[in-house]
Amino acid sequence: MKTIREVAAKFDVSTRTIRYYEELGLISSTRSEGNHRLYTKKECAKLKLIFRGKRYGFSLEEIKEMVLLFDYDRTGMAQLERTITYGNQRIQQIDQAIEELLEMKEELLSLKKSFSERLEKLVEERDRHE
């Protein structure tokens, strides 16, 4: 069992973040005799999945569904199926973002070339008039 401070330090987040995830029902804690929150290895494993999901751009609702599915289906099949579905959707979003960024890069390169040529002509004209 780990205290909220230990868990927060382990994941390099604030204790407020841990409490927020608990408020959302993503994780749960027990209480010590001194009424301090304590987290099991299972809850810490859930937090690891939550932070991984956030890093990959999943919403907290998607993460909650994926993480909590294991509690309802101990085989893990439902969790894996849902994770694959959300993963495929996220991959499509990433591919679209990459495509848009590549288009933006091409446009910027074209503008840069055009502006550079224009500047070069202006410099040449200025030098001819001096």
Side-chain angles (χ1 to χ4, degrees), residues 69-96:
L69 270 173
F70 189 73
D71 292 338
Y72 301 109
D73 174 15
R74 301 303 285 176
T75 69
M77 288 177 59
Q79 183 184 39
L80 290 172
E81 288 170 349
R82 176 55 61 197
T83 301
I84 289 167
T85 298
Y86 282 145
N88 285 335
Q89 291 170 359
R90 187 68 185 126
I91 288 168
Q92 287 177 341
Q93 292 169 347
I94 290 167
D95 284 341
Q96 183 177 352

Side-chain angles (χ1 to χ4, degrees), residues 42-58:
K42 178 182 174 185
E43 298 307 307
C44 289
K46 284 182 184 179
L47 276 169
K48 186 176 180 179
L49 292 174
I50 292 165
F51 292 123
R52 182 181 297 154
K54 286 187 59 62
R55 188 174 74 237
Y56 291 138
F58 293 108

Side-chain angles (χ1 to χ4, degrees), residues 63-120:
I63 292 168
K64 182 177 181 178
E65 185 178 351
M66 289 184 283
V67 168
L68 297 182
L69 270 173
F70 189 73
D71 292 338
Y72 301 109
D73 174 15
R74 301 303 285 176
T75 69
M77 288 177 59
Q79 183 184 39
L80 290 172
E81 288 170 349
R82 176 55 61 197
T83 301
I84 289 167
T85 298
Y86 282 145
N88 285 335
Q89 291 170 359
R90 187 68 185 126
I91 288 168
Q92 287 177 341
Q93 292 169 347
I94 290 167
D95 284 341
Q96 183 177 352
I98 288 170
E99 195 173 308
E100 291 171 5
L101 287 169
L102 288 172
E103 287 175 14
M104 190 184 311
K105 180 182 177 183
E106 287 302 314
E107 289 174 19
L108 283 170
L109 287 171
S110 177
L111 283 171
K112 178 185 166 194
K113 181 181 177 192
S114 174
F115 292 162
S116 294
E117 289 170 356
R118 185 172 167 200
L119 178 61
E120 189 177 311

